[in-house]
Amino acid sequence: MRDLGAGFGYLMKGQRWVLRHGRWWGFGMLPALITLVLYAAALVGLVAWADDLVAWATPFADDWGSPWQGLLRGTVTVLLYVGGLFLAVVTFTAVTLLVGQPFYESLAEKVDDSEGGVGDVVELPLWRELLISARDSIRVLIWVALFGVALFFLGFIPVAGQTVVPALGFCVSGFFLTAELTAVALQRRGVELRERFRLQRGRMLLTLGFGVPLTLLFLVPLVAVFLMPGAVAGATLLSRDLLPAAGEAVPENGKPFIRADPA
């Protein structure tokens, strides 16, 4: 349980860090604001074109009578709205990190420096960092989708589907949200996604203590914009705990860490 509290503590420490360094907090909100505007425009467009999209997707119902045509297309419309909103929620962090990659990397570097620095940094061109970040984000989203499908069907189990499964859903979301946010600091150290997953699984309570509260907070509209800089700062502090000794990778059981190819 100590790790659970420590994970939440890193979340709070990250927010305090950016509040003490107001310039970083202000600039850190810009990528999130840009992403929010883009997503809002996309969701407005989805609402505006939803009827046409549903009619195009269900041409076989053109000759159906009332109320079956309305029921079918109404259901598909609701699913389209829910799917669009869900996609926006699960991709918001990844897109924000991509939009603000140079800034968030600088923020992570400042946080690391304030804690004693990093002994081994992998320097990559910006285009290479963006490519790795985009690739890893797609992999994370695939895992989220696979878990989402499994949890959807488990939700039909009586009692457990309405109690245990939603709790598991928040844990899954928290785990992968932490993976996205720690990517900024761990990518600087050359630690690849597979190894980041292994590190988090080894400190599951620490990971969930950070990621689950943040997931719940991100569900509140606009909160993600204000918390994103502190979330990156907190994830950087968390990364230092996952990789002790001033951020250096420490092999576990003699197994070396898998590092990104700097070429």
Side-chain angles (χ1 to χ4, degrees):
M1 296 302 292
R2 179 183 300 178
D3 267 0
L4 195 64
F8 182 72
Y10 285 127
L11 176 59
M12 301 307 296
K13 288 177 183 177
Q15 300 303 323
R16 288 198 295 268
W17 194 96
V18 295
L19 288 175
R20 290 197 306 269
H21 303 78
R23 179 172 66 91
W24 289 100
W25 183 54
F27 283 123
M29 287 192 294
L30 290 178
L33 283 171
I34 292 171
T35 306
L36 180 66
V37 170
L38 293 175
Y39 273 50
L43 290 174
V44 169
L46 178 64
V47 172
W49 293 92
D51 290 342
D52 293 335
L53 286 173
V54 171
W56 172 81
T58 58
F60 55 86
D62 286 344
D63 298 327
W64 288 14
S66 179
W68 307 115
Q69 184 189 80
L71 286 174
L72 172 68
R73 289 183 170 172
T75 300
V76 174
T77 300
V78 170
L79 291 174
L80 184 64
Y81 290 156
V82 172
L85 186 60
F86 175 77
L87 184 64
V89 170
V90 300
T91 61
F92 181 85
T93 299
V95 173
T96 299
L97 291 175
L98 282 175
V99 170
Q101 174 73 21
F103 172 83
Y104 290 129
E105 184 174 353
S106 297
L107 171 59
E109 181 179 358
K110 291 294 183 183
V111 174
D112 274 328
D113 289 344
S114 70
E115 296 293 318
V118 178
D120 185 15
V121 177
V122 177
E123 298 289 345
L124 295 174
L126 178 59
W127 70 267
R128 177 70 170 168
E129 291 178 351
L130 291 173
L131 184 63
I132 293 173
S133 297
R135 179 198 65 189
D136 289 350
S137 294
I138 292 172
R139 290 176 177 176
V140 170
L141 290 176
I142 290 173
W143 277 109
V144 170
L146 291 175
F147 274 100
V149 171
L151 290 171
F152 173 78
F153 287 108
L154 289 174
F156 290 101
I157 299 175
V159 183
Q162 293 73 49
T163 54
V164 177
V165 172
L168 287 176
F170 283 117
C171 290
V172 169
S173 299
F175 180 91
F176 288 112
L177 179 59
T178 302
E180 289 276 17
L181 291 167
T182 55
V184 179
L186 293 179
Q187 187 174 308
R188 294 181 63 238
R189 294 155 168 84
V191 183
E192 288 195 344
L193 179 64
R194 181 173 57 179
E195 187 60 35
R196 298 202 297 267
F197 282 168
R198 187 174 74 86
L199 289 169
Q200 289 185 206
R201 288 196 304 269
R203 301 288 299 279
M204 184 62 76
L205 290 180
L206 182 72
T207 298
L208 298 181
F210 180 88
V212 173
L214 193 58
T215 298
L216 294 171
L217 289 169
F218 275 16
L219 292 176
V220 182
L222 299 179
V223 166
V225 173
F226 295 100
L227 295 187
M228 183 61 75
V232 173
T236 302
L237 296 172
L238 175 67
S239 298
R240 298 179 67 83
D241 196 341
L242 293 174
L243 294 176
E248 290 289 349
V250 178
E252 181 178 300
N253 299 325
K255 180 181 178 181
F257 284 105
I258 302 170
R259 293 187 173 275
D261 182 6

